[in-house]
Amino acid sequence: MAELFIKQAAEYAEGRPSYPSELFEFIASKAPCQDQAWDVGTGSGQAARHLAGIFKNVIATDTSPKQLAFGPRLPNIRYQQTPQTMSAAELERDIASQSSIDVVTIAQAIHWFDLPIFYQQVKWVLKNPHGVVAAWCYTTPEVNDSVDAVFQPFYTIAAGPYWEPPRRLVDEKYKTIDFPFEPVDGADDTGPFDQFVIERLMDLDNYFTYLRSWSAYQTAREKGVELLSDDVIEEFTRAWTEDGQDQKVVKFPIYLRIGRVGNM
């Protein structure tokens, strides 16, 4: 997974949208307290930055040192590069002791993980029984009818062959992902919940930077294919400029799975 994002780490940091504060306030409201959060697959720290405004301490981990280099440097965030698989000793040494974490978050990343092993680690570090795990994805950007009409075949047909199989879980809005946790207080199930939306003001260059941050874009380039060819750029440009507005509010729907560790 890390290899897919290393070469476009700068594009990832610049192009990926930021999450709404309401998402983190909701997650924090379900936690037993607000001392320790672990953000797994933090990338360039988009979620860790928000968590640092709520929790006393945030451990932000990723397998990619290049991604971590772009994370915001805040006094209560500790960045930690981790191997793709961690032993129990490494988990305790580098992350946290048993039953000490209030919240584990995974933003747009859990579909890459070896879930049985990861969930064992989550259940070990979370405070029992009320520690919370929250995993979310956001799906494809929504601009307007004209731009979206160009985007859909670009995403499914042009880029489709270059997505790794786990991307299917995002397309399915995390409905089918294994999530063996109990509902948090006030919920009947663990989701996915869809009340949160990312909104970002973008111009066309911003939009292209986001597309270039895709793992599929990097995979295609390594195979000698430029997905954003001159013809494709021209087609997007024609659709984008149709309404005469250089900047547009781009929406990314969020789908959240959230649960508590329960009695193990």
Side-chain angles (χ1 to χ4, degrees), residues 44-220:
S44 45
Q46 284 90 347
R49 177 173 62 84
H50 285 278
L51 291 166
I54 300 174
F55 289 85
K56 290 180 182 177
N57 295 290
V58 177
I59 305 149
T61 62
D62 203 280
T63 57
S64 166
K66 287 192 175 181
Q67 290 271 32
L68 292 173
F70 287 95
R73 265 44 198 176
L74 295 172
N76 61 334
I77 299 179
R78 174 169 65 86
Y79 290 100
Q80 177 72 47
Q81 182 190 358
T82 55
Q84 292 192 16
T85 57
M86 275 191 296
S87 67
E90 288 171 325
L91 181 67
E92 184 166 16
R93 183 193 68 202
D94 295 335
I95 308 303
S97 58
Q98 186 173 13
S99 194
S100 64
I101 297 288
D102 299 300
V103 166
V104 174
T105 57
I106 316 97
Q108 194 76 357
I110 201 171
H111 49 281
W112 300 110
F113 293 0
D114 183 330
L115 291 180
I117 292 174
F118 176 62
Y119 287 150
Q120 266 189 333
Q121 296 172 338
V122 168
K123 291 176 179 180
W124 191 82
V125 299
L126 277 176
K127 290 178 179 176
N128 187 330
H130 297 297
V132 167
V133 54
W136 65 90
C137 66
Y138 56 87
T139 51
T140 52
E142 299 172 356
V143 184
N144 59 33
D145 289 346
S146 296
V147 176
D148 295 351
V150 177
F151 175 85
Q152 286 304 324
F154 175 77
Y155 176 74
T156 57
I157 298 172
Y162 304 104
W163 288 111
E164 294 291 318
R167 175 71 190 188
R168 173 184 56 83
L169 295 169
V170 176
D171 292 333
E172 294 168 353
K173 304 171 183 177
Y174 279 5
K175 290 177 182 176
T176 57
I177 202 163
D178 182 38
F179 198 73
F181 299 96
E182 297 180 4
V184 293
D185 291 345
D188 296 326
D189 54 50
T190 62
F193 301 104
D194 60 0
Q195 69 260 46
F196 302 104
V197 178
I198 298 168
E199 293 188 354
R200 181 178 176 186
L201 190 64
M202 286 183 164
D203 60 22
L204 187 55
D205 285 340
N206 300 145
Y207 187 78
F208 285 147
T209 299
Y210 163 71
L211 299 182
R212 291 187 180 102
S213 76
W214 287 356
S215 61
Y217 179 83
Q218 181 62 39
T219 299

Side-chain angles (χ1 to χ4, degrees), residues 245-264:
Q245 300 294 320
D246 290 340
Q247 292 190 316
K248 297 175 175 37
V249 175
V250 181
K251 297 181 178 181
F252 299 81
I254 292 174
Y255 297 91
L256 170 70
R257 300 297 301 267
I258 185 169
R260 65 187 188 101
V261 67
N263 291 304
M264 295 167 56

